[in-house]
Amino acid sequence: MLYLVGLGLSYKSDITVRGLEAVRNCSRIYLEHYTSILMAASLEELEEYYGKPVILADRELVESGSEEILHDARTQDVAFLVVGDVFGATTHTDLVLRAKRESIPVEVIHNASVMNAVGSCGLQLYNFGQTVSMVFFTESWKPDSWYDKIWENRKIGLHTLVLLDIKVKEQSIENMARGRLIYEPPRYMSISQCCEQLLEIEDARGTIAYTPNTPAVAISRLGSSTQTFKAGTIEELSRYDAGEPLHSLIILGRQCHELELEYLLEFTDDKEGFKKAVIEDQEFFKPAPWVPPVEDED
């Protein structure tokens, strides 16, 4: 059996009871280690908690070396651990498909993830549209495919969850080109950097999917004891120090309910200013009134 087990957001004990029982019965345990990290638990702490060694699975192993993970999974129990929920990344769907092609039984044990825990900021999950990912820009590479998704969300009034890039066990272009297995130090995108990149692309595209005054919510260390929210405009948050990672951002949609707004006001120093930004944003992105088509008199 291949067990895919969600670990939750922060602590070693966030794993479900069923998940923990499955892990402790497995002969091999892999921890996916590139889409997110468990903020309040080290590898050594996890090994002590499970009573078994844990193998770190980087992107290369999961995407190119899945045969190692699936080896003997027909006759032995193997666990694949994912921070958050199992299907927070499409890579894990691919692993399930490969297991099924090899007739390996699969059991999925879910857990909390940023996709549902984000509701703790006060915004209603029903009011979220497409989730987007923001990657680190380079001098020569500034992908902006996420921009159109934000625009689509904004046109129908929905909030957008922006997941911020992390770089774990990544190679520089030079080392990759030279075939040197030298890895860069881990990097985690900050709220301020994300907002700066948002503003840079809006300035370049100019179709006003959002503005510097669009209201947003910064999320820091979701699910941990130091979890923090900060409400402000995108421009204000581009100057905000959100502290230690991990970070996420929400761009508010026009359909911000009054109860959502009331909740968010607890996370801003300038309540009147933020309320004004929300009202102005709602008015700016309000859809044009429907006009019935003119009937053909002929």
Side-chain angles (χ1 to χ4, degrees), residues 6 11 15 26 46 48 65 91 95 116-117 123 131 140 148 171 180-181 199 204 241 252-253 264 297:
Y11 302 95
I15 190 172
C26 286
L46 291 179
E48 181 180 359
T91 299
L95 184 62
N116 54 19
L123 296 177
T131 297
S140 59
D148 294 323
Q171 292 177 276
R180 297 185 299 215
L181 294 178
L199 295 175
D241 182 358
L252 263 64
L264 290 179
E297 296 181 357

Side-chain angles (χ1 to χ4, degrees), residues 210-225:
Y210 47 85
T211 73
N213 292 323
T214 293
V217 184
I219 303 173
S220 309
R221 301 168 298 281
L222 184 64
S224 75
S225 61

Side-chain angles (χ1 to χ4, degrees), residues 100-120:
K100 289 183 176 181
R101 283 197 293 268
E102 297 184 26
S103 301
I104 296 171
V106 176
E107 182 171 338
V108 175
I109 303 176
H110 293 287
N111 209 318
S113 77
V114 64
M115 304 293 285
N116 54 19
V118 70
S120 58

Side-chain angles (χ1 to χ4, degrees), residues 25-59:
N25 287 327
C26 286
S27 59
R28 292 198 318 279
I29 303 168
Y30 294 90
L31 172 62
E32 189 261 72
H33 191 60
Y34 62 93
T35 61
S36 190
I37 59 168
L38 206 58
M39 290 178 286
S42 66
L43 177 64
E44 292 74 21
E45 289 172 326
L46 291 179
E47 290 180 326
E48 181 180 359
Y49 192 58
Y50 303 150
K52 295 192 173 182
V54 175
I55 304 166
L56 289 181
D58 59 17
R59 184 186 298 273

